[in-house]
Coordinates of all heavy atoms in Angstrom, one line a residue:
S1 N 128.6 91.9 89.0 CA 129.9 92.1 88.2 C 129.9 91.2 87.0 O 129.2 90.2 86.9 CB 131.1 91.7 89.1 OG 131.1 90.4 89.5
G2 N 130.7 91.7 86.0 CA 130.8 91.0 84.7 C 130.6 92.0 83.6 O 130.7 93.2 83.8
S3 N 130.4 91.4 82.4 CA 130.2 92.3 81.2 C 128.8 92.8 81.2 O 128.0 92.3 80.4 CB 130.6 91.5 80.0 OG 130.6 92.3 78.8
I4 N 128.5 93.8 81.9 CA 127.2 94.3 82.1 C 126.9 95.5 81.3 O 127.7 96.5 81.3 CB 126.9 94.6 83.6 CG1 127.0 93.3 84.4 CG2 125.5 95.3 83.8 CD1 126.9 93.6 85.9
F5 N 125.9 95.5 80.5 CA 125.5 96.7 79.8 C 124.5 97.6 80.6 O 124.7 98.8 80.7 CB 124.8 96.4 78.4 CG 125.8 95.8 77.4 CD1 126.1 94.5 77.4 CD2 126.4 96.7 76.5 CE1 127.0 94.0 76.5 CE2 127.3 96.2 75.6 CZ 127.6 94.8 75.6
S6 N 123.5 97.0 81.3 CA 122.6 97.7 82.1 C 121.9 96.7 83.0 O 121.8 95.5 82.7 CB 121.6 98.6 81.3 OG 120.8 97.7 80.5
I7 N 121.3 97.2 84.1 CA 120.5 96.4 85.0 C 119.1 97.1 85.1 O 119.0 98.2 85.4 CB 121.2 96.3 86.4 CG1 122.6 95.8 86.2 CG2 120.3 95.5 87.3 CD1 123.3 95.7 87.5
N8 N 118.1 96.2 84.9 CA 116.7 96.7 85.1 C 116.3 96.6 86.5 O 116.9 97.2 87.4 CB 115.8 96.0 84.1 CG 116.1 96.3 82.7 OD1 116.6 97.3 82.3 ND2 115.8 95.3 81.8
D9 N 115.2 95.8 86.8 CA 114.8 95.7 88.2 C 115.8 94.9 89.0 O 116.4 94.0 88.5 CB 113.4 95.0 88.2 CG 112.3 95.8 87.7 OD1 112.5 97.0 87.2 OD2 111.1 95.4 87.8
M10 N 115.9 95.2 90.3 CA 116.6 94.4 91.2 C 115.7 94.2 92.4 O 114.8 95.0 92.7 CB 117.9 95.2 91.7 CG 118.8 95.6 90.5 SD 120.4 96.3 91.1 CE 121.3 94.9 91.5
G11 N 115.9 93.1 93.2 CA 115.1 92.9 94.3 C 115.7 91.9 95.3 O 116.7 91.3 95.1
W12 N 114.9 91.7 96.4 CA 115.3 90.8 97.4 C 114.1 89.9 97.7 O 112.9 90.3 97.8 CB 115.6 91.5 98.7 CG 116.9 92.2 98.7 CD1 117.1 93.6 98.4 CD2 118.2 91.7 98.9 NE1 118.5 93.9 98.4 CE2 119.2 92.8 98.7 CE3 118.7 90.4 99.3 CZ2 120.5 92.6 98.9 CZ3 120.1 90.3 99.4 CH2 121.0 91.3 99.3
Y13 N 114.4 88.6 97.8 CA 113.4 87.6 98.1 C 113.9 86.8 99.3 O 115.1 86.8 99.6 CB 113.2 86.6 96.9 CG 112.6 87.3 95.7 CD1 113.3 88.1 94.9 CD2 111.2 87.1 95.4 CE1 112.8 88.7 93.8 CE2 110.7 87.8 94.3 CZ 111.5 88.6 93.5 OH 110.9 89.2 92.4
R14 N 113.0 86.1 100.0 CA 113.5 85.2 101.1 C 112.7 84.0 101.2 O 111.5 83.9 100.7 CB 113.3 86.0 102.4 CG 111.9 86.3 102.9 CD 111.9 87.2 104.1 NE 110.6 87.4 104.6 CZ 110.3 88.3 105.6 NH1 111.3 88.9 106.2 NH2 109.0 88.5 106.0
Q15 N 113.3 83.0 101.8 CA 112.6 81.7 101.9 C 113.0 81.1 103.3 O 114.2 80.9 103.6 CB 113.0 80.7 100.8 CG 112.2 79.4 100.8 CD 112.3 78.6 99.5 OE1 113.2 79.0 98.7 NE2 111.6 77.6 99.4
A16 N 112.0 80.8 104.1 CA 112.2 80.1 105.4 C 111.8 78.7 105.2 O 111.0 78.3 104.3 CB 111.3 80.8 106.4
P17 N 112.3 77.8 106.1 CA 111.9 76.4 106.1 C 110.4 76.2 106.1 O 109.7 76.9 106.8 CB 112.5 75.8 107.3 CG 113.7 76.7 107.6 CD 113.2 78.0 107.2
E18 N 109.9 75.4 105.2 CA 108.4 75.0 105.1 C 107.6 76.2 104.5 O 106.4 76.1 104.5 CB 107.8 74.6 106.5 CG 108.6 73.4 107.1 CD 108.6 72.2 106.2 OE1 107.5 71.9 105.6 OE2 109.6 71.5 106.2
N19 N 108.3 77.2 104.0 CA 107.6 78.3 103.4 C 108.0 78.5 101.9 O 109.1 78.0 101.5 CB 107.9 79.7 104.1 CG 107.2 79.8 105.5 OD1 107.6 79.1 106.4 ND2 106.3 80.7 105.6
E20 N 107.1 79.1 101.2 CA 107.4 79.4 99.8 C 108.3 80.6 99.7 O 108.3 81.4 100.6 CB 106.1 79.7 99.0 CG 105.1 78.5 98.9 CD 105.6 77.4 98.0 OE1 106.4 77.7 97.1 OE2 105.2 76.3 98.2
R21 N 109.1 80.7 98.6 CA 109.8 81.9 98.4 C 108.9 83.1 98.3 O 107.8 83.0 97.6 CB 110.7 81.8 97.1 CG 111.6 83.0 96.9 CD 112.1 82.9 95.5 NE 111.1 83.2 94.5 CZ 111.2 83.2 93.2 NH1 112.4 83.0 92.7 NH2 110.2 83.4 92.4
E22 N 109.2 84.2 98.9 CA 108.4 85.4 98.9 C 109.2 86.6 98.6 O 110.3 86.7 98.9 CB 107.6 85.5 100.2 CG 108.5 85.8 101.4 CD 107.7 86.1 102.7 OE1 106.5 86.0 102.6 OE2 108.3 86.3 103.7
L23 N 108.5 87.5 97.9 CA 109.1 88.8 97.6 C 109.2 89.6 98.9 O 108.3 89.7 99.7 CB 108.2 89.6 96.6 CG 108.6 91.1 96.4 CD1 109.9 91.2 95.6 CD2 107.5 91.8 95.7
V24 N 110.4 90.2 99.1 CA 110.6 91.2 100.2 C 110.5 92.6 99.7 O 109.7 93.4 100.2 CB 112.0 91.0 100.8 CG1 112.2 92.0 101.9 CG2 112.1 89.5 101.4
A25 N 111.2 92.9 98.7 CA 111.2 94.3 98.1 C 111.8 94.3 96.7 O 112.7 93.5 96.5 CB 111.8 95.3 99.0
R26 N 111.4 95.2 95.8 CA 112.0 95.3 94.5 C 112.1 96.8 94.2 O 111.4 97.7 94.8 CB 111.1 94.7 93.4 CG 111.1 93.2 93.5 CD 110.5 92.6 92.2 NE 111.4 92.8 91.0 CZ 112.5 92.1 90.7 NH1 112.8 91.1 91.5 NH2 113.1 92.4 89.6
I27 N 113.1 97.1 93.3 CA 113.4 98.5 92.9 C 113.7 98.5 91.5 O 114.4 97.7 91.0 CB 114.5 99.1 93.8 CG1 114.7 100.6 93.5 CG2 115.8 98.3 93.7 CD1 115.6 101.3 94.5
T28 N 113.1 99.5 90.7 CA 113.4 99.6 89.3 C 114.6 100.4 89.1 O 115.2 101.0 90.0 CB 112.2 100.3 88.6 OG1 112.1 101.7 89.0 CG2 110.9 99.6 88.9
S29 N 115.1 100.4 87.8 CA 116.2 101.2 87.5 C 116.0 102.7 87.8 O 117.0 103.4 88.0 CB 116.6 101.0 86.0 OG 115.6 101.4 85.2
G30 N 114.8 103.2 87.7 CA 114.5 104.5 88.0 C 114.2 104.9 89.5 O 114.0 106.0 89.8
G31 N 114.3 103.8 90.3 CA 114.2 104.1 91.8 C 112.8 103.8 92.4 O 112.6 104.0 93.6

């Protein structure tokens, strides 16, 4: 939310204790 013109890629990442942040999934504006 906010004064948004457009959104490019969106994604989800996760981090468990003692682990590095890792990519879960990403999606482009085109799907």
